[in-house]
């Protein structure tokens, strides 16, 4: 099996202007090469038949993606409307500023199969396309954010995958994200 880093993932995981909460300690080409050369320690079922999550021990300097919300850090939460690219509608996001997460123990690489990538207009010359990566303390998936689930349900024309909303998965996601937030920190 071959894997390609999609353009969508490349711009989010390896932005032109470095961020401390992006993939650190490697570049896009080396990241793609590593995934093609090393089997994951385990494969988790994705949210749809075309999606898998490949779990690796973190071989980079990447930090955990999320931080638990506590009374001590709640005042550092920020929010704003953002789009991941110019084709998408802005949606409300929430994140910490002024906190740096610990280095992740695991990287969970999110991949879509070739057929789904073509459907979403990002054709790849590989069996699987990397669409994202979760940096975690445990070798388990962080629930997809509720807004991402809603965007997926809107369809590919609005930047989603076209997978209908799963009410139970949505409620599980809300329970997690009520207690956690992503973090950002300028370099």
């Amino acid at each position: 099996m071959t894997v390609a880093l999609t353009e969508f993932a490349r711009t989010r995981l390896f932005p032109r202007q470095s961020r401390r909460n992006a993939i650190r300690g490697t570049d896009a080409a080396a990241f793609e090469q590593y995934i093609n050369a090393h089997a994951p320690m385990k494969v988790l079922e994705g949210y749809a038949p075309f999606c898998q999550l490949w779990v690796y021990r973190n071989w980079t300097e990447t930090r955990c993606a999320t931080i638990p919300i506590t009374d001590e850090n709640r005042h550092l939460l920020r929010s704003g409307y953002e789009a991941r690219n110019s084709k998408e509608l802005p949606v409300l996001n929430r994140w910490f500023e002024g906190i740096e997460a610990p280095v992740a123990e695991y990287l969970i690489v999110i991949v879509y199969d070739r057929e789904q990538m073509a459907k979403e207009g990002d054709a790849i010359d590989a069996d699987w396309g990397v669409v994202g990566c979760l940096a975690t303390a445990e070798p388990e998936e962080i629930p997809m954010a509720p807004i991402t689930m809603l965007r997926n349900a809107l369809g590919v024309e609005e930047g989603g995958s076209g997978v209908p909303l799963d009410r139970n998965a949505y409620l599980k996601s809300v329970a997690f994200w009520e207690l956690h937030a992503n973090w950002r920190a300028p370099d």
Side-chain angles (χ1 to χ4, degrees), residues 52-73:
Q52 293 183 355
L53 295 92
W54 296 356
V55 180
Y56 294 88
R57 279 233 172 251
N58 185 5
W59 71 95
T60 72
E61 299 166 12
T62 306
R63 296 184 174 276
C64 287
T66 63
I67 297 173
I69 299 170
T70 66
D71 289 340
E72 292 76 32
N73 64 21

Side-chain angles (χ1 to χ4, degrees), residues 6-94:
T6 65
E7 195 54 39
F8 176 80
R10 186 179 305 274
T11 58
R12 294 185 52 73
L13 301 177
F14 300 95
R16 284 193 189 111
Q17 290 200 341
S18 180
R19 296 185 325 258
R20 286 191 296 229
N21 58 341
I23 300 293
R24 307 284 294 186
T26 190
D27 62 22
F31 184 87
E32 183 179 82
Q33 182 180 14
Y34 185 95
I35 293 169
N36 276 293
H38 298 86
M41 58 184 280
K42 71 178 179 176
V43 175
L44 304 174
E45 200 173 293
Y47 74 102
F50 57 77
C51 177
Q52 293 183 355
L53 295 92
W54 296 356
V55 180
Y56 294 88
R57 279 233 172 251
N58 185 5
W59 71 95
T60 72
E61 299 166 12
T62 306
R63 296 184 174 276
C64 287
T66 63
I67 297 173
I69 299 170
T70 66
D71 289 340
E72 292 76 32
N73 64 21
R74 189 176 312 277
H75 69 283
L76 298 171
L77 280 170
R78 304 292 181 261
S79 62
Y81 284 90
E82 302 173 319
R84 297 179 299 184
N85 60 51
S86 62
K87 297 176 186 174
E88 292 183 355
L89 295 172
V91 298
L92 186 61
N93 285 310
R94 178 174 73 165

